[in-house]
Amino acid sequence: MSSPAASRIPSVSPTAPPRSFLWTRRIFLTLLTGFVLVPVYVMISSSLKPLADVTGKFRWLPRGLTIRPYIDIWSTVPLAKYFANSLIVAGAATVCSVVIAVFAAYAVSRYSFRGKRVFTVTVLSTQMFPGILFLLPLFLLYVNIGNATGIALFGSRGGLILTYLTFSLPFSIWMLIGYFDSVPRDLDEAALVDGCGPLGALFRVVVPAAIPGIVAVAVYAFMTAWGEVLFASVMTNDTTRTLAVGLQGYSTLNDVYWNQIMAASLVVSVPVVAGFLLLQRYLVAGLTAGAVK
Amino acid sequence: MTTATEVRKPVHKSSPGAARHPRRPGRIRRVSLPYLLLLPALVLELLVHLVPMVIGIVMSFKELTQFYIRDWGSAPWSGLDNYSMSVDFNAPVGEALLHSFLVTVGFTLLSVALCWLIGTAAAICMQDTFRGRGLLRALFLVPYALPVYAAVITWVFMFQHDNGLVNHVLHDQLHLTDKPSFWLIGDNSFYALLTVSVWKGWPFAFLIVMAGLQNIPKELYEAAALDGAGMWQQIRRITLPSLRPVNQVLVLVLFLWTFNDFNTPYVLFGRSAPEAADLISVHIYQASFVTWNFGTGSAMSVLLLLFLLVVTGTYLLLTSRGRRAADV
């Protein structure tokens, strides 16, 4: 992009790339940036357009700017309620998933025990189940548990939290195993010698040393829960509806309020995208140290 | 995923029979502790994935229509009826399933190939520092970070017939088509789905490959450069071979995610996808929830799972053998 070839010449690296590579790179990255940015631009610009601009022919430049859609979205559908539901569900699922994954990954990384391989294989293989395979059985299971014990899982936020945390769990455990493996064992053995219990060693030594990996896992878990559509559309009711389903409320209005749809999409995206971009360094570092090693 | 643990540590693999992990005796002090630590993860995975999967398999042998949904245990057994109906490719149900399966295979292969190609190319392009690299990296990750429904709804808007951007550019500005096309119905919907899927999926490949590249020692490149290897040769001889273990997992994960993807087609097309883009997840969802025939839907899901098991097993077998041979 903004990498004039001239700025590279002073670099004395023996691996200075040739011109052909620099040009290919510049063209490729420019095209790719366009591909990535066009939908983002459409989302932002359309959300600021008056209704006439989004119902007629598409216009690259808005005729006039208005923040009206951002005011109307809250009353067209109960967006604030969906927002709160999504925050509760994704937040709780993330916290639980990370804590459980830390325990499991610690066990796998630091202990040898019978059934370790069976455990890792079983947990990882759940990743390949098509969601559709267990959607209906899970629905029946939750209903039956509710009937038998009175614990309302179906239609409640609790059931959704439970479901979502297992979605991110396999990847989280897998990534944290790799990450914990890279924390020197001498560290937690020293802590054990100093009189910490195994859990003390975990929380005082291993977890602090693996913070980037844990942050990465948390980001992943939150995004998974925030964006899930299939289970949210079956397992929620009017009071527990999350954004994933709630946003479809605008599209039943057909192509009349596209500016509001874009505004709402932007509003629900900002928290995750901002969080992700702030923490993406950790994700890359976590992947480097953990999963892909 | 059977060999996932070897995949991460190819080093151990090269000496199979020899002491795998020299265990210090003091570590197995309390046998029950690791099990306690694993318990929550295990219970939850059992509750949400494995038990429902078993229930699903049982359901696939039952005649589970809407009449029995309140009390599914009382539904009559139907033997292999659901399966024979699903794979009878001369009857409408089987024919539609086969069609949907083939569409999904084609779509998945194209999508994974493109995601991998773009992701790898971008990661290699951004391997060394240049001005604006950090910003560009953040930008590239935006499609991955956006919630699926928000991103896909934007594409739905762009693909609109009358007021969408795609027709405006292709028809009004570039005059490539005689008249505005329909993108979300008819044959074009396949390309619309593919575009959205690649747009959404390639940053994940980019992210993983980028992380993988950081584990390649710089000395390798320097040595190659001293030996007179050019940039392109370095990419072919060092970068790509070094990425092999990463790619092995990445391609498999991309494949499974794309094949099972429900969110993208569901938000893009709604409950009933056009025939050209009738992905298997949505197809089964529709077969179960629209026609209320859960037995057949379950049988289709089980067949899908079997297929994925076979593909994953074969894939891991082939790629691991290839790697072992390469290691020697």
Side-chain angles (χ1 to χ4, degrees):
Chain A
M1 304 308 307
S2 51
S3 68
S7 76
R8 289 210 51 89
I9 288 170
S11 102
V12 284
S13 149
T15 54
R19 262 169 189 281
S20 66
F21 177 79
L22 288 178
W23 274 106
T24 318
R25 175 168 87 180
R26 196 170 302 169
I27 294 167
F28 174 71
L29 290 182
T30 309
L31 288 175
L32 198 56
T33 310
F35 181 50
V36 166
L37 277 190
V38 164
V40 178
Y41 172 77
V42 169
M43 194 193 273
I44 297 172
S45 66
S46 305
S47 74
L48 292 166
K49 285 177 182 174
L51 195 57
D53 264 21
V54 286
T55 47
K57 277 238 170 287
F58 180 83
R59 302 174 58 89
W60 283 100
L61 295 173
R63 260 180 295 214
L65 291 178
T66 169
I67 55 157
R68 190 78 213 166
Y70 285 92
I71 299 163
D72 293 340
I73 48 172
W74 304 97
S75 50
T76 311
V77 303
L79 191 66
K81 190 172 76 182
Y82 300 152
F83 212 102
N85 281 337
S86 273
L87 264 184
I88 294 170
V89 168
T94 303
V95 172
C96 299
S97 168
V98 167
V99 171
I100 294 169
V102 163
F103 283 133
Y106 183 65
V108 174
S109 165
R110 291 299 197 261
Y111 292 89
S112 67
F113 53 90
R114 198 182 285 273
K116 176 161 150 175
R117 221 178 129 64
V118 176
F119 171 81
T120 47
V121 170
T122 311
V123 167
L124 279 178
S125 63
T126 59
Q127 274 294 57
M128 84 187 210
F129 295 172
I132 193 78
L133 171 67
F134 56 90
L135 170 68
L136 187 74
L138 192 64
F139 158 77
L140 291 176
L141 192 68
Y142 281 1
V143 170
N144 283 330
I145 289 179
N147 291 342
T149 63
I151 305 170
L153 289 174
F154 176 70
S156 73
R157 294 189 200 92
L160 214 53
I161 292 170
L162 200 62
T163 314
Y164 285 169
L165 78 90
T166 63
F167 286 177
S168 47
L169 209 46
F171 181 79
S172 305
I173 294 176
W174 183 49
M175 193 154 136
L176 284 181
I177 292 174
Y179 214 97
F180 287 175
D181 279 349
S182 73
V183 177
R185 266 147 216 263
D186 302 346
L187 283 181
D188 42 318
E189 265 155 28
L192 287 174
V193 169
D194 287 349
C196 284
L199 290 182
L202 169 62
F203 284 111
R204 285 178 196 195
V205 178
V206 180
V207 167
I211 282 295
I214 291 172
V215 172
V217 161
V219 172
Y220 173 79
F222 192 85
M223 280 170 47
T224 307
W226 191 261
E228 207 280 334
V229 179
L230 174 59
F231 286 76
S233 63
V234 176
M235 298 231 183
T236 55
N237 56 30
D238 280 344
T239 51
T240 56
R241 193 137 296 161
T242 57
L243 287 170
V245 192
L247 272 204
Q248 288 167 31
Y250 297 99
S251 26
T252 57
L253 305 168
N254 237 326
D255 48 9
V256 182
Y257 294 119
W258 276 111
N259 50 354
Q260 282 192 45
I261 300 178
M262 292 299 106
S265 299
L266 199 71
V267 167
V268 307
S269 303
V270 163
V272 266
V273 175
F276 181 82
L277 292 184
L278 280 176
L279 300 171
Q280 47 112 353
R281 267 168 212 293
Y282 290 107
L283 193 65
V284 176
L287 286 166
T288 311
V292 301
K293 208 166 202 171
Chain B
M1 288 284 185
T2 30
T3 49
T5 37
E6 286 108 335
V7 170
R8 272 191 302 107
K9 294 237 159 92
V11 192
H12 294 308
K13 205 55 223 172
S14 52
S15 58
R20 279 167 46 92
H21 295 280
R23 294 279 168 217
R24 273 161 261 181
R27 200 172 304 138
I28 320 170
R29 205 164 289 148
R30 292 171 56 187
V31 183
S32 60
L33 185 66
Y35 294 110
L36 278 178
L37 291 171
L38 289 180
L39 197 65
L42 204 58
V43 168
L44 285 168
E45 289 297 328
L46 279 176
L47 177 75
V48 181
H49 289 257
L50 297 176
V51 171
M53 192 184 78
V54 173
I55 298 179
I57 294 173
V58 173
M59 277 165 53
S60 69
F61 294 105
K62 291 205 160 210
E63 191 192 319
L64 196 62
T65 51
Q66 50 188 323
F67 306 111
Y68 301 105
I69 199 64
R70 281 280 145 222
D71 183 18
W72 70 281
S74 69
W77 294 95
S78 61
L80 290 170
D81 282 2
N82 288 323
Y83 288 92
S84 51
M85 190 158 120
S86 304
V87 295
D88 180 4
F89 300 135
N90 294 316
V93 174
E95 199 191 346
L97 184 68
L98 182 66
H99 173 82
S100 163
F101 173 76
L102 294 177
V103 167
T104 313
V105 170
F107 161 76
T108 306
L109 291 180
L110 279 173
S111 174
V112 170
L114 286 170
C115 285
W116 179 83
L117 201 66
I118 299 178
T120 307
I124 290 176
C125 282
M126 293 173 62
Q127 204 174 358
D128 49 19
T129 44
F130 54 83
R131 198 140 37 95
R133 174 167 165 258
L135 179 71
L136 209 54
R137 184 169 88 169
L139 258 181
F140 283 173
L141 292 175
V142 167
Y144 177 68
L146 279 172
V148 183
Y149 44 87
V152 179
I153 282 181
T154 309
W155 279 98
V156 172
F157 178 47
M158 288 165 64
F159 281 128
Q160 289 298 303
H161 181 262
D162 297 325
N163 53 347
L165 169 140
V166 176
N167 275 343
H168 178 65
V169 171
L170 293 183
H171 179 70
D172 302 345
Q173 294 190 312
L174 299 174
H175 307 290
L176 291 174
T177 49
D178 296 338
K179 52 183 193 321
S181 337
F182 286 97
W183 291 101
L184 299 176
I185 48 176
D187 290 346
N188 284 336
S189 54
F190 182 84
Y191 302 104
L193 180 61
L194 187 64
T195 309
V196 179
S197 170
V198 171
W199 184 82
K200 192 91 191 66
W202 79 267
F204 179 74
F206 170 66
L207 194 66
I208 299 288
V209 173
M210 203 162 53
L213 286 176
Q214 294 184 6
N215 283 330
I216 304 176
K218 276 219 157 38
E219 296 79 39
L220 276 183
Y221 291 108
E222 278 157 19
L226 288 179
D227 288 346
M231 190 74 196
W232 299 107
Q233 262 193 316
Q234 288 178 26
I235 292 175
R236 249 188 49 224
R237 298 287 163 103
I238 301 176
T239 314
L240 292 178
S242 306
L243 285 175
R244 246 193 98 102
V246 175
N247 280 333
Q248 188 199 18
V249 179
L250 172 65
V251 168
L252 181 66
V253 169
L254 279 177
F255 173 82
L256 290 173
W257 282 354
T258 314
F259 206 97
N260 291 330
D261 192 14
F262 177 88
N263 298 341
T264 309
Y266 184 75
V267 181
L268 198 57
F269 304 119
R271 274 174 183 241
S272 55
E275 224 172 274
D278 188 19
L279 293 195
I280 197 115
S281 294
V282 179
H283 185 86
I284 296 175
Y285 179 87
Q286 215 194 343
S288 315
F289 282 89
V290 176
T291 65
W292 291 93
N293 195 337
F294 296 110
T296 314
S298 303
M300 291 176 178
S301 312
V302 173
L303 290 173
L304 172 61
L305 180 68
L306 287 177
F307 170 75
L308 293 176
L309 272 174
V310 170
V311 170
T312 308
T314 315
Y315 175 84
L316 286 175
L317 214 64
L318 288 177
T319 51
S320 309
R321 187 179 301 156
R323 275 183 64 205
R324 234 166 281 160
D327 281 349
V328 170

